[in-house]
Amino acid sequence: MIQANPHYSELSDTYLFVTIARKVEEFKKVNPDRPLIRMGIGDVVFPLAPSVARAFSEAALAMATPEGFRGYGPEQGYSELREAIARIDYRDKGVDVDPSEIFISDGSKCDVGHIQELFAPEIHVGIPDPVYPVYRDSNIMAGRKDFIHLIPATRQNGMVPLPPSEPLDLVYLCSPNNPTGAVLSRDQLASWVEYALRNKALLLFDAAYAAYIQDSELPRSIFEIPGARDCALEFRSLSKSAGFTGVRCAYTVVPKELRIASQDSTVRVWDLWNRRQSTLFNGVSWPVQAAALAVYSEQGQHETGSQVAAYLENARMLANFFRDRGYEVYGGDNAPYVWVYLGRDSWEAFDLFLNKAAVVVTPGSGFGDQGQGFVRFSAFQTPEKVQQAVDALKDLL
Ligand code: MLT
């Protein structure tokens, strides 16, 4: 009889955000008229920027004409888009990335989930705790449960996971961090690069929230750190920077010189990822890539930048609300997440906020054991709803 992958039984029953959605549905059944304020999953609410929507629809309509129709696209993504990304996200900021090192995809969740397929089964994997659950779950699915080493981010270390004394092979880093909002400083990131070079480890740098970094002293890209091209690759997404959570477009940067061990020799990670993507992925649709290209136009940068600024303003409002009440707060300055220490069970706090204030948050313990006692607020809401949430919570805290 066909057997299931045994490692799926090592996962928790449902993915974190599915559990939250189920609880919210139950609440709505009992309280059908109560308007909810959703600050749980980090899903954007502002509509697509006008210039982006225009490019999206024009490309879709062109697909209905003989001249404008396009079939399969280039595997790595259209070159105009990769060139615009290399220029605007990297070269204009003094960071050396070639368009040929960029792979366009349909989301960072997919890329960070799939990347572990490139590596041997029995490697030692470092994963911060708390962190985005996909890093851990994808490695458990691949049979690496006993090879995962959690790197604690705690109140004691300011929510910053630092290099351990033990050598690891693969390390996931997320900055600005999901869920804590903490951003690695240049020195902290340099200590990880030094660790990786010393241990011949590979760093997977998830920079999906890079657009939220406003402080010019903080690195947006790991490639700002000398030596990183020899030990790191980077994930970026348009989901939160340009409202693409439903549209789906992201990219992964794999430096051409990045090599890892393979039997008695070494192999380029670029070759492995290219082989994986060209075999198992057929690219992002042309209208989506045309929309992404419009994000990199002057008008697109202006329009999407205003949305990021508005979400950041929400984050500041939330962070200040909790700080004024004496709570310990992380994130919210250069990140769209506000991570609040409540000192009570995270799911209990989730239930309280939902049932008494109709505010949906994410329980910190859903991101790892070290998240216990915290809740995460997503600032991806309208300013009016954030104000309503703050008003509703005033009576509870
Ligand atoms: C989150 O809320 O953590 C994110 O929206 C999840 C994601 O980007 O997949």
Side-chain angles (χ1 to χ4, degrees):
M1 191 178 180
I2 176 74
Q3 295 282 318
N5 175 344
H7 304 300
Y8 274 61
S9 65
E10 296 163 352
L11 296 163
S12 56
D13 280 353
T14 55
Y15 183 59
L16 172 63
F17 293 107
V18 174
T19 311
I20 294 173
R22 203 187 56 221
K23 278 181 171 266
V24 169
E25 279 315 303
E26 282 160 14
F27 174 85
K28 276 168 54 187
K29 258 190 223 138
V30 183
N31 305 275
D33 302 324
R34 195 125 178 245
L36 273 173
I37 306 171
R38 293 176 190 270
M39 303 172 92
I41 191 164
D43 195 3
V44 292
V45 296
F46 294 140
L48 281 183
S51 59
V52 174
R54 216 164 25 246
F56 196 5
S57 60
E58 280 168 10
L61 289 172
M63 292 283 277
T65 66
E67 320 72 58
F69 176 75
R70 301 189 188 206
Y72 292 126
E75 272 129 17
Q76 269 186 260
Y78 285 96
S79 59
E80 310 92 285
L81 178 57
R82 288 186 287 114
E83 275 156 23
I85 291 170
R87 182 164 45 82
I88 292 175
D89 284 348
Y90 294 100
R91 287 177 171 168
D92 286 358
K93 298 179 173 66
V95 181
D96 175 28
V97 164
D98 191 82
S100 65
E101 298 175 316
I102 294 170
F103 293 78
I104 308 293
S105 78
D106 59 349
S108 281
K109 182 181 189 172
C110 317
D111 288 354
V112 298
H114 293 142
I115 197 80
Q116 49 74 32
E117 293 171 20
L118 308 189
F119 312 115
E122 303 197 344
I123 53 164
H124 292 273
V125 185
I127 300 181
D129 176 8
V131 91
Y132 186 41
V134 175
Y135 310 156
R136 194 169 172 179
D137 283 1
S138 58
N139 277 284
I140 292 176
M141 288 168 174
R144 295 197 189 94
K145 185 169 194 283
D146 296 335
F147 293 87
I148 293 176
H149 303 251
L150 296 175
I151 307 167
T154 61
R155 295 165 67 207
Q156 285 69 38
N157 62 21
M159 295 291 145
V160 174
L162 291 171
S165 47
E166 62 193 333
L168 298 170
D169 302 309
L170 185 70
V171 176
Y172 290 77
L173 295 174
C174 180
S175 179
N177 188 272
N178 179 9
T180 69
V183 184
L184 289 169
S185 70
R186 211 166 283 280
D187 285 350
Q188 288 160 347
L189 199 48
S191 72
W192 274 111
V193 169
E194 190 274 321
Y195 170 89
L197 292 172
R198 182 159 37 87
N199 292 294
K200 294 192 173 22
L202 181 66
L203 302 177
L204 300 177
F205 189 68
D206 183 351
Y209 300 94
Y212 288 81
I213 297 181
Q214 305 295 303
D215 181 344
S216 57
E217 291 302 309
L218 295 171
R220 280 189 173 193
S221 167
I222 196 164
F223 301 123
E224 290 176 40
I225 309 295
R229 290 181 58 87
D230 292 312
C231 65
L233 46 86
E234 177 163 301
F235 305 94
R236 294 260 190 130
S237 169
L238 277 72
S239 282
K240 319 293 162 86
S241 61
F244 271 47
T245 51
V247 176
R248 311 303 306 151
C249 195
Y251 65 88
T252 293
V253 180
V254 189
K256 287 262 176 76
E257 58 264 53
L258 183 61
R259 302 189 78 88
I260 57 174
S262 174
Q263 289 153 0
D264 295 338
S265 177
T266 62
V267 64
R268 286 201 312 177
V269 179
W270 191 97
D271 289 329
L272 298 179
W273 188 239
N274 189 44
R275 184 72 170 86
R276 193 264 168 218
Q277 290 297 81
S278 50
T279 307
L280 299 178
F281 180 60
N282 255 339
V284 177
S285 75
W286 162 240
V288 168
Q289 293 194 59
L293 189 55
V295 170
Y296 288 93
S297 68
E298 204 179 318
Q299 197 182 348
Q301 289 286 288
H302 174 72
E303 289 170 352
T304 56
S306 312
Q307 297 190 343
V308 167
Y311 289 134
L312 272 172
E313 199 43 52
N314 288 343
R316 279 187 210 109
M317 192 199 307
L318 279 163
N320 287 338
F321 167 77
F322 283 102
R323 271 194 201 108
D324 289 350
R325 273 165 181 72
Y327 288 94
E328 209 173 296
V329 177
Y330 299 87
D333 294 326
N334 293 284
Y337 294 125
V338 179
W339 182 244
V340 186
Y341 183 66
L342 295 172
R344 64 195 298 173
D345 179 77
S346 299
W347 278 107
E348 195 185 291
F350 170 91
D351 287 333
L352 177 78
F353 290 175
L354 177 62
N355 294 317
K356 298 276 190 257
V359 172
V360 184
V361 296
T362 307
S365 56
F367 297 100
D369 289 349
Q370 298 291 346
Q372 182 56 275
F374 288 86
V375 293
R376 187 195 77 174
F377 284 81
S378 151
F380 295 113
Q381 252 311 346
T382 60
E384 296 74 27
K385 288 259 184 188
V386 175
Q387 186 60 57
Q388 282 170 24
V390 161
D391 291 341
L393 291 171
K394 265 184 197 146
D395 301 333
L396 278 186
L397 298 169

